[in-house]
Amino acid sequence: LPWREGIKGRGSFGTFYEVGMMGRQKKCARGFTLIEIMVALTVMGFAVVSLVQLFSSNLRMIGTSQDYMTALTRAESVMREIVESDKIEEKSWKESTDQGYQVEVTVSETQKERTDNLPIKLLQIELVFSWEKALRKKSLTFRTLKVVNKIDNRSVAEQKI
């Protein structure tokens, strides 16, 4: 039937049919090709791998940040103890903590030429707080100044007599 030629219709399950010559139905392929599916899976794979890498690097950065915050808190408390000490003198020392931190402290007089004529001296306190994590040495350095009274040995000796 020539009048039916070129008529298109939809069959069951979404399959498209085209009625050809002599009234026979031809199936029209309306799905994805194998290459289209492979390209889509490849693009999705790259997206998933990128997201996983971002997630793991963020977890690593959170761990590093936590290490630095713990060290910072401990180093600040050590520095506070040193600065608030009544008897502070020029010296250097090293010590290790139970948690595996190494502490290096240096107390030295600074700005001597500016404080020669004054009854005070200016001490610079430097604290290096270091530790090892994943075979890498990490450290924090703190520096501060403290004003202290100069001690005149003659006047102290005269007061004792």
Side-chain angles (χ1 to χ4, degrees):
L1 302 165
W3 59 270
R4 291 181 66 192
E5 188 174 329
I7 297 176
K8 297 179 182 178
R10 183 181 287 243
S12 61
F13 303 112
T15 307
F16 284 90
Y17 293 97
E18 184 176 320
V19 178
M21 288 181 57
M22 306 306 259
R24 283 188 272 160
Q25 293 181 345
K26 295 191 286 185
K27 225 184 229 187
C28 295
R30 288 284 225 177
F32 293 109
T33 65
L34 182 60
I35 292 184
E36 291 172 331
I37 292 172
M38 297 278 288
V39 167
L41 287 175
T42 303
V43 169
M44 280 181 32
F46 282 127
V48 167
V49 166
S50 298
L51 287 174
V52 168
Q53 285 179 344
L54 267 172
F55 184 70
S56 67
S57 69
N58 283 342
L59 285 177
R60 211 174 17 252
M61 293 303 279
I62 288 170
T64 301
S65 175
Q66 185 176 8
D67 291 342
Y68 273 101
M69 288 305 296
T70 302
L72 178 67
T73 304
R74 292 172 193 248
E76 281 181 333
S77 70
V78 170
M79 180 63 99
R80 195 175 317 109
E81 285 178 23
I82 295 168
V83 170
E84 291 176 355
S85 164
D86 290 335
K87 188 175 181 182
I88 188 168
E89 55 190 44
E90 293 182 60
K91 64 179 179 178
S92 296
W93 70 92
K94 292 181 183 183
E95 60 185 51
S96 295
T97 65
D98 296 336
Q99 295 84 16
Y101 296 105
Q102 290 80 36
V103 180
E104 296 178 43
V105 180
T106 305
V107 179
S108 59
E109 187 174 354
T110 185
Q111 302 289 327
K112 289 181 185 181
E113 65 279 350
R114 299 184 98 189
T115 58
D116 274 344
N117 299 330
L118 299 173
I120 59 168
K121 63 181 178 179
L122 191 59
L123 297 178
Q124 178 176 342
I125 304 165
E126 181 175 337
L127 177 125
V128 179
F129 203 79
S130 56
W131 69 99
E132 281 192 31
K133 185 74 172 188
L135 301 175
R136 286 187 165 174
K137 188 168 185 173
K138 301 179 181 191
S139 67
L140 296 170
T141 302
F142 293 86
R143 287 186 193 95
T144 190
L145 298 173
K146 183 174 181 174
V147 176
V148 295
N149 290 326
K150 286 183 182 176
I151 299 174
D152 186 6
N153 290 333
R154 287 176 290 150
S155 62
V156 171
E158 289 172 4
Q159 288 174 357
K160 289 183 181 179
I161 298 177

